[in-house]
Structures are given as structure tokens and as C-alpha cells.
Amino acid sequence: MTMAEMGIMTAELEARLILEQRCRIDWGKIIADPGFLVPEQERRKIADDLEERLQGRPLSKIYGKKEFWGLEFEVTDDVLDPRPDTETIIDIAVQRFPKDADIKILDMGTGSGCLLVSLLHEFPNATGLGLDISPKALAVAKCNAQKFNLDSRAEFVESDWFAGLDESLQFDLIVSNPPYISNRVIPDLEPEVRNFDPIQALDGGEDGLQAYKIIFSTINLFIKKGGTGLFEIGYDQKNDVMRIGRESRFSDISVHRDLAGQPRVVEIYCGDK
Ligand SMILES: C[S@@+](CC[C@H](N)C(=O)[O-])C[C@H]1O[C@@H](n2cnc3c(N)ncnc32)[C@H](O)[C@@H]1O
């Protein structure tokens, strides 16, 4: 059965990517050369890749890399595949602080490190801390910080949200894409997500809101006066997450949409302390 017959919507694009990856050549060069033949030694590998893909494994997990904010991140089975929607957080952050700002950034649930690494890449004078409950995810995040020569400005710590942080730590910018899927709907997710993203990266508890409740109840201790928090949300969680923010005594709360027009990021501004 082909990828298209399997209902893989991006079958044509993915077939191109497999060819490009295995033959180490751009698609443009392939179509510009009517005599192009896939080298014999690559055919077996391509057949194996297709077989894995037909089992539902995403290409990012097969090749161990995924692009985010124009950077190519290493990914493993231990981290969520970075998603384009999450770039909305970076989009907003670069509007909030000048490029040369000497800011301190906290990334909660750093996973592959895509948020923290992209932010440090954007703000050359910033320093950052990435935390995660998963030591295996932290190893991937460290590897990505090294890959982009940002490890001198990035630290990583194993922590259950704020529980492992010293209260003397104060941040200008706190970002998070926490797990926000209700555990009731996890069995209905696409197999690519359900079977290949770590459950810890998806499971937001019974109502999907568990992480926001924990984080918002304590964030005030760690955010500087004048600091900003940016949190990814599910498309239908805007009202609930804003309510949790207000209950945690944040009055300056706004919602930002992603490129598809869906509510995607809740911003809290810490005007007073
Ligand atoms: C949705 S993933 C986001 C990963 C990455 N920041 C991104 O945007 O692609 C959520 C991350 O939160 C981590 N996580 C889940 N529960 C946590 C907890 N109690 N404390 C800290 N991190 C947690 C998971 O291990 C996972 O890496």
C-alpha cells in the first residue's frame, strides 16, 4: 500500500523528502535531471523508510530531526516533535524585547529545547534555563543547545514545574508549551501523535488544564516585575486558561492567534508584584 492510500495527507511531499534525505540532493536538482536514478545502495534504505512511515512513524522520528523557527533540531522518541504552531510564542517574544536585551528566560517543559534554543538564538545577550521532568528530554535539549553553540548561555534542570527551582531565580520571560490534551481524548489522537510523541508531553490531566493551574499558581514568585509569560494553549482552551490566569490574580492577560487564526498563546504581563 502507498502512503497516499494509507491516508497520509502529505504523501507527495513526504516522498520527496525521503528521496532528498537518502540521496542527499535537492528536489529541484532531481526534477531538473530527467536521467536521475536513485543509487542502488539507497534503494533498500528508502524501502525501509517507507515501511516505517507506513507503520505510522513520522519522518522526523525516522531521521531524528525537525525544523523549528528555521533551525534544524535533533529529535528522539523522548521528545515532542516541535510544531509550527509553537513558533507563535517566538513571534510574540521578539516583539516584546529589543534584540540586544539582556533578559533571563525560563522554558518550562523544554522537551527538545526548541523554544529556549530559538529564543537564545534571537536574543544574543539573553541567558536561559530549560526545565523538564524527563531526564531523557533534557539530554536532547542539551544536545540542541550545543548544536547551535548556545550551551554557554543555556542551563537545563530536571524539575516538576517550579518544584525544583530556587526562589531566588527571577526571569524576564517565562515560556511554556505544557501538555494540554485531556487524557480522555488521547486515545482518539492521530496515530502519529498517540504512538510516537511521549505521553508525558501530551497528557494534561482529566480536563487538559492541570499544568496551567500548577504553573499559574506559583509563577508570580519567579517572574520579574514587568516580566511576561507566554503559554501555548489548545484551540478551545482560551476561556479556561484566561480564567485560571485571573484566579491567580493576573489582570493583564491577552490571547494571540496562530497563522491559521486559532487562539494559540495566552500572554500574562506581570505589571506589579
Ligand atoms: C508539549 S511538550 C513541549 C516540548 C517543547 N517545549 C515544545 O514546545 O516542542 C511538554 C513538555 O513538558 C514536560 N513535562 C510534562 N510534565 C511536566 C512536569 N510536571 N514538570 C516539568 N515538565 C513536564 C514533558 O516532558 C514535555 O517535554
Side-chain angles (χ1 to χ4, degrees):
M1 194 176 273
T2 66
M3 290 199 290
E5 285 162 352
M6 282 287 289
I8 297 175
M9 304 297 282
T10 49
E12 192 179 329
L13 174 68
E14 294 197 28
R16 287 182 193 182
L17 290 173
I18 291 172
L19 269 177
E20 285 186 321
Q21 174 71 28
R22 285 300 176 198
C23 301
R24 285 174 224 88
I25 182 171
D26 285 341
W27 180 245
K29 288 191 180 143
I30 295 176
I31 50 171
D33 176 4
F36 177 79
L37 281 177
V38 176
E40 187 60 44
Q41 67 273 24
E42 304 307 337
R43 288 185 196 179
R44 183 72 250 151
K45 291 182 192 155
I46 289 173
D48 290 346
D49 293 348
L50 285 171
E51 188 53 43
E52 264 197 279
R53 185 66 190 98
L54 290 172
Q55 304 297 323
R57 195 168 169 77
L59 285 189
S60 51
K61 293 279 158 76
I62 296 174
Y63 297 133
K65 50 192 177 191
K66 180 82 190 269
E67 191 178 310
F68 182 86
W69 199 251
L71 303 170
E72 190 180 84
F73 283 85
E74 307 292 315
V75 294
T76 68
D77 290 344
D78 302 309
V79 298
L80 184 95
D81 262 3
R83 310 285 208 271
D85 296 340
T86 306
E87 293 178 351
T88 314
I89 289 184
I90 315 283
D91 259 329
I92 302 164
V94 297
Q95 295 168 44
R96 292 292 171 270
F97 299 94
K99 179 120 188 126
D100 61 355
D102 169 17
I103 49 173
K104 293 199 166 25
I105 303 168
L106 173 63
D107 177 15
M108 307 189 69
T110 194
S112 63
C114 61
L115 279 172
L116 183 63
V117 167
S118 302
L119 287 166
L120 293 178
H121 202 262
E122 284 297 320
F123 295 106
N125 296 321
T127 52
L129 177 64
L131 69 80
D132 207 290
I133 202 161
S134 156
K136 287 182 176 170
L138 287 166
V140 177
K142 276 183 206 164
C143 160
N144 279 316
Q146 277 163 3
K147 177 172 180 178
F148 298 106
N149 292 322
L150 295 166
D151 43 323
S152 62
R153 293 192 282 127
E155 278 184 65
F156 294 94
V157 62
E158 185 181 335
S159 177
D160 181 355
W161 301 132
F162 289 113
L165 297 197
D166 189 304
E167 278 179 33
S168 63
L169 293 170
Q170 295 290 299
F171 300 93
D172 302 278
L173 173 62
I174 298 184
V175 295
S176 185
N177 171 19
Y180 56 68
I181 315 278
S182 155
N183 54 26
R184 280 177 273 128
V185 303
I186 287 178
D188 307 327
L189 294 174
E190 296 287 323
E192 273 96 338
V193 178
R194 191 181 66 226
N195 298 334
F196 296 97
D197 277 321
I199 186 74
Q200 260 177 339
L202 303 173
D203 187 347
E206 177 78 12
D207 57 3
L209 299 167
Q210 195 176 52
Y212 305 106
K213 291 176 190 163
I214 298 171
I215 293 173
F216 284 18
S217 69
T218 316
I219 191 170
N220 211 29
L221 296 175
F222 294 90
I223 197 162
K224 288 185 191 174
K225 184 172 179 202
T228 294
L230 296 170
F231 301 90
E232 180 163 326
I233 57 167
Y235 72 96
D236 57 352
Q237 293 177 320
K238 175 179 82 149
N239 293 337
D240 285 326
V241 177
M242 287 185 79
R243 176 181 45 77
I244 296 167
R246 282 193 296 270
E247 285 168 4
S248 307
R249 292 196 292 283
F250 286 98
S251 53
D252 198 340
I253 307 176
S254 48
V255 175
H256 304 269
R257 292 178 185 271
D258 61 23
L259 289 177
Q262 298 286 0
R264 185 59 63 196
V265 174
V266 164
E267 175 172 15
I268 58 169
Y269 174 71
C270 183
D272 50 11
K273 288 210 77 165

